[in-house]
Amino acid sequence: MSGLCGWIGYGTHINENLQLVQRMAGPLTRFDGGEARTLAGGNSALAVAATGDGAQVYQKEGLLVAIWGRAGFNDPRLNQLVRTDGMAKILADNWREKGEKVLESLTGAFSLCILHERENEAIVAIDRMGIHPLSFQISGGCLVFGSSADTIILHPQIKSEISPQGIYNYVYFHMVPGPGTIYQEQKRLLPGEYLVYRKGRIETHKYWEMRFLEDEKRPFQELKQDFLTVLRSSVREAIGDEEAGAFLSGGTDSSTIAGILGEVSGQPARTYSIGFDASGYDEMEYARIAARHFSTRHKEYYVTPDDIVTAIPQVAAIFDQPFGNSSAIPAFYCARMAKEDGLSRILGGDGGDELFGGNVRYAKQYLFSLYEQVPSVMRKGVVEPLVFGMPGGAALPLVRKARSYIEQASIAMPARTETYNLLERYGHGEVFTREFLDTVNAGYPASLLDEVYHQSDANSLINRMLAFDRKFTLADNDLPKVAKACELAGIDVGFPLISDEITAFSLRLEPQLKLKGTKLRYFFKEALRGFLPEEIIAKQKHGFGLPFGVWLQHHKPLQALASDSLSDLKLRNVIRADFIDKLLGYHLDEHAGYHGTMVWVLMMLEQWYRQRQIHKQS
């Protein structure tokens, strides 16, 4: 993986700046051994660390430019110039001519910075889907930025104070959602966003947003042909000149990538799957169905509880802020197989659900939305008095279900999506200490959810949810999960299902072709019927879920690690000691799978602290 880092507005000696930026680049290369390419001037410096050809730098007449990733232009003429002169130089030339407008012409996955020393100005930006993240902090008029917070906090101008709000947000979301971070003054760019720095002041702007065209109607066969064309093009672009492998869970997305990869490369795809020896968690048979169907060169690995114990500290170390999605562990072991096979790149199927309507909650929220269409006078005057006023109704299963349905359907979006949120279920007063709660805004997560949900210009419920998930599910969760797992394994990753081409196609697709009643990703499946095995099309969504709670009940080393981590977490005066005792006691016995999630989230918080040697309160 690697990335970039740098600053503007600090320093005077080029040699000292070079030494500092090389030190800052250390966290970017610690796992994949990439080479850091550095530039420096009098009051600015930057480094781009890369494995292979993933980074370019350019310097001329006080202008320092760096770009990391696989970027291009939507102008074929400019892409021809890139092949001869390099991306960084062409970016610099076009920035001189167009300024910030140049960002609108960029395609692909990237992060970039343009530093203009003479004018004391800078631009930093990330790609449209947030594949390559970038954090930033301003202090004393100095802007410091980096692909990882671990690079930023190495700058002498930066204070690395932990944000109580960041911790609260982490426990609520199981990750720290942008634009916030785990550090007090540090922020993160959102997908399609850029930052402008001028003489010590900063502003953020959008250069691209998801704009849905919901009324465009086209014949199915025409749509199918266009879709297959952009699908092949996106996979071909994702592999470039390399031999790439693919994650294969046996789901629709990963199976599609595996099949197309073999088709466009002209040879059987290398595919990698993870299994679990735990009832209800193993999906290996579907991966085998896809592997047989596409004649892939397939490898499998069954993750064990001992593997989890080994990987937990490593995973906590690779993430620059607390991260509580446990499927990062199986993603790491899967990527490691590809690395051991000598591959330098692996393709993930992430994003298909969030562009074409594949998450189960989309169908669920559609069903709830039907109640909103019932006239208010009927709901309030007839239905609700009947259902809630029925004597003994709570003892009747059908009435109890009706009450639950009405209660949830009556909650406005997007708050309705959080009715099963773990922190909400426990109650924040039961989880956090009173002293900690006095330092945070417990209503912030709900306000952030509401703000993001209502930013979309979509008229349909499904498209509003897709725009919502572009941030919370993809940019904040799934993409960093896979990217960091691959970085830990020392292998690069591509996400062809969220290419600019496929994203543009999905934005023009009619809403009912994404979710037809309760039929998930209707168009995607119908367009690939005959290409994918029928069993894959018909299967229920699963993924690389980790049976942590189940294993925690019986595996002694895992129990010891969890208990030791949560015991130390008590001393930080963030989580109530009695809640931790209840969680490890009767809560786990009550429902290991459900409550095991909170054990994992809190354990990974303490492990993140430990990896950064952040000491406990005395």
Side-chain angles (χ1 to χ4, degrees):
M1 285 300 297
S2 301
L4 61 83
C5 64
W7 73 84
I8 187 170
Y10 171 90
T12 55
H13 302 294
I14 291 178
N15 289 339
E16 292 178 4
N17 285 352
L18 281 172
Q19 291 174 7
L20 174 57
V21 79
Q22 287 168 359
R23 186 163 68 250
M24 289 174 61
L28 301 178
T29 61
R30 56 186 164 168
F31 290 101
D32 60 18
E35 175 190 357
R37 307 173 190 182
T38 57
L39 299 175
N43 74 337
S44 63
L46 61 86
V48 182
T51 300
D53 60 355
Q56 293 190 33
V57 294
Y58 174 79
Q59 183 175 20
K60 186 176 182 180
E61 299 175 350
L63 189 66
L64 282 67
V65 179
I67 187 162
W68 153 248
R70 296 192 174 204
F73 291 95
N74 54 23
D75 182 340
R77 178 185 60 86
L78 291 179
N79 285 328
Q80 183 61 43
L81 292 175
V82 166
R83 283 188 278 273
T84 57
D85 296 344
M87 184 67 195
K89 181 182 184 303
I90 302 305
L91 176 62
D93 292 344
N94 278 264
W95 178 79
R96 289 188 182 99
E97 178 184 342
K98 301 177 182 177
E100 300 160 25
K101 289 288 186 182
V102 69
L103 299 174
E104 298 174 9
S105 64
L106 292 175
T107 62
F110 65 85
S111 57
L112 65 83
C113 60
I114 303 171
L115 311 182
H116 198 302
E117 282 201 291
R118 292 178 185 173
E119 301 296 329
N120 197 20
E121 294 181 354
I123 289 178
V124 296
I126 64 171
D127 60 78
R128 299 176 182 185
M129 301 303 284
I131 295 171
H132 288 310
L134 206 59
S135 297
F136 63 91
Q137 189 167 341
I138 189 162
S139 177
C142 171
L143 171 69
V144 185
F145 55 89
S147 299
S148 168
D150 291 339
T151 71
I152 295 175
I153 62 176
L154 291 176
H155 194 282
Q157 196 74 6
I158 297 301
K159 295 180 180 179
S160 56
E161 298 177 5
I162 299 296
S163 164
Q165 189 67 53
I167 295 174
Y168 185 91
N169 296 346
Y170 164 73
V171 177
Y172 187 96
F173 291 103
H174 306 173
M175 48 75 182
V176 184
T181 71
I182 196 61
Y183 294 105
Q184 192 76 35
E185 302 297 330
Q186 198 176 119
K187 299 295 182 185
R188 194 161 74 242
L189 287 177
L190 299 176
E193 191 173 64
Y194 69 99
L195 176 148
V196 178
Y197 166 95
R198 288 191 177 95
K199 299 176 176 62
R201 301 177 65 86
I202 61 172
E203 295 178 351
T204 57
H205 303 278
K206 292 280 190 181
Y207 70 86
W208 186 85
E209 295 184 75
M210 294 184 84
R211 301 265 181 211
F212 295 94
L213 299 176
E214 300 186 302
D215 300 324
E216 185 176 280
K217 299 183 184 297
R218 296 170 61 195
F220 178 85
Q221 287 302 321
E222 181 181 313
L223 283 170
K224 176 180 177 178
Q225 187 58 49
D226 284 354
F227 174 61
L228 293 176
T229 298
V230 298
L231 187 58
R232 294 185 182 104
S233 172
S234 296
V235 172
R236 191 178 294 112
E237 183 177 324
I239 60 179
D241 297 328
E242 303 173 65
E243 181 185 5
F247 289 101
L248 183 57
S249 68
T252 308
D253 289 329
S254 65
S255 299
T256 298
I257 295 299
I260 297 294
L261 177 59
E263 185 180 295
V264 302
S265 66
Q267 58 185 347
R270 291 181 179 269
T271 55
Y272 303 89
S273 297
I274 291 297
F276 308 104
D277 187 13
S279 178
Y281 287 86
D282 187 41
E283 293 280 294
M284 190 68 82
E285 186 51 42
Y286 286 102
R288 291 167 181 161
I289 289 171
R292 288 193 297 267
H293 182 79
F294 294 116
S295 300
T296 71
R297 291 173 286 177
H298 187 59
K299 288 192 175 181
E300 303 173 353
Y301 182 76
Y302 270 77
V303 174
T304 68
D306 287 328
D307 290 329
I308 305 304
V309 173
T310 300
I312 281 172
Q314 301 175 62
V315 169
I318 192 66
F319 283 93
D320 61 345
Q321 51 193 347
F323 190 76
N325 187 333
S326 63
S327 54
I329 300 277
F332 160 65
Y333 281 106
C334 204
R336 195 177 69 169
M337 280 192 288
K339 178 67 174 180
E340 291 170 347
D341 264 359
L343 297 180
S344 59
R345 189 165 177 83
I346 188 169
L347 306 185
D350 301 82
D353 285 335
E354 290 75 30
L355 289 183
F356 293 95
N359 288 317
V360 174
R361 62 181 174 276
Y362 300 151
K364 182 178 180 180
Q365 295 305 328
Y366 165 75
L367 292 175
F368 286 137
S369 73
L370 296 178
Y371 189 65
E372 297 173 345
Q373 300 173 27
V374 178
S376 178
V377 65
M378 180 68 71
R379 283 186 276 131
K380 303 299 182 184
V382 179
V383 178
E384 292 174 17
L386 177 64
V387 172
F388 289 97
M390 182 179 297
L396 302 174
L398 286 178
V399 176
R400 193 163 59 245
K401 285 185 177 181
R403 289 180 178 181
S404 176
Y405 170 82
I406 292 171
E407 287 171 351
Q408 292 186 71
S410 299
I411 300 171
M413 287 289 285
R416 196 164 67 213
T417 65
E418 296 300 307
T419 54
Y420 289 96
N421 181 281
L422 266 178
L423 182 56
E424 295 281 6
R425 285 297 182 99
Y426 291 126
H428 63 254
E430 294 295 315
V431 175
F432 294 104
T433 65
R434 182 178 300 175
E435 295 83 357
F436 176 80
L437 286 175
D438 286 342
T439 67
V440 304
N441 175 7
Y444 175 80
S447 65
L448 179 63
L449 290 164
D450 195 65
E451 176 188 347
V452 172
Y453 183 77
H454 288 101
Q455 283 175 350
S456 172
D457 68 339
N459 294 317
S460 63
L461 174 65
I462 179 61
N463 279 340
R464 288 197 298 272
M465 287 191 290
L466 296 182
F468 181 79
D469 277 350
R470 169 200 174 212
K471 177 191 174 343
F472 289 109
T473 301
L474 282 177
D476 288 334
N477 200 328
D478 287 351
L479 298 182
K481 173 194 73 179
V482 179
K484 287 296 184 181
C486 289
E487 182 180 347
L488 183 60
I491 190 170
D492 196 12
V493 62
F495 302 102
L497 288 185
I498 51 173
S499 71
D500 293 336
E501 280 187 297
I502 290 184
T503 299
F505 178 89
S506 75
L507 292 177
R508 303 174 72 93
L509 201 60
E510 292 179 71
Q512 59 268 30
L513 291 181
K514 298 171 183 177
L515 182 67
K516 189 170 185 177
T518 59
K519 293 180 180 178
L520 299 170
R521 57 195 311 163
Y522 176 77
F523 169 79
F524 192 101
K525 290 183 176 181
E526 290 303 313
L528 291 170
R529 196 175 293 277
F531 177 76
L532 291 175
E534 196 61 33
E535 300 96 321
I536 301 294
I537 290 178
K539 82 177 282 290
Q540 297 296 312
K541 181 176 173 58
H542 191 273
F544 285 150
L546 187 72
F548 172 72
V550 175
W551 285 343
L552 189 60
Q553 290 182 301
H554 308 292
H555 191 262
K556 297 300 181 184
L558 200 55
Q559 290 173 355
L561 180 60
S563 179
D564 178 60
S565 299
L566 268 61
S567 293
D568 280 356
L569 187 60
K570 289 180 183 180
L571 302 178
R572 298 189 185 276
N573 200 31
V574 171
I575 306 297
R576 289 177 51 157
D578 60 343
F579 174 75
I580 289 176
D581 292 338
K582 290 177 185 176
L583 190 60
L584 292 176
Y586 67 82
H587 277 331
L588 270 181
D589 291 338
E590 178 187 28
H591 196 310
Y594 181 81
H595 297 289
T597 300
M598 183 57 80
V599 175
W600 180 273
V601 167
L602 297 182
M603 177 183 66
M604 295 308 291
L605 174 60
E606 175 58 31
Q607 287 290 321
W608 182 85
Y609 274 124
R610 288 185 185 184
Q611 295 304 316
R612 279 145 188 84
Q613 298 181 343
I614 300 173
H615 301 296
K616 301 177 285 294
Q617 293 185 4
S618 57

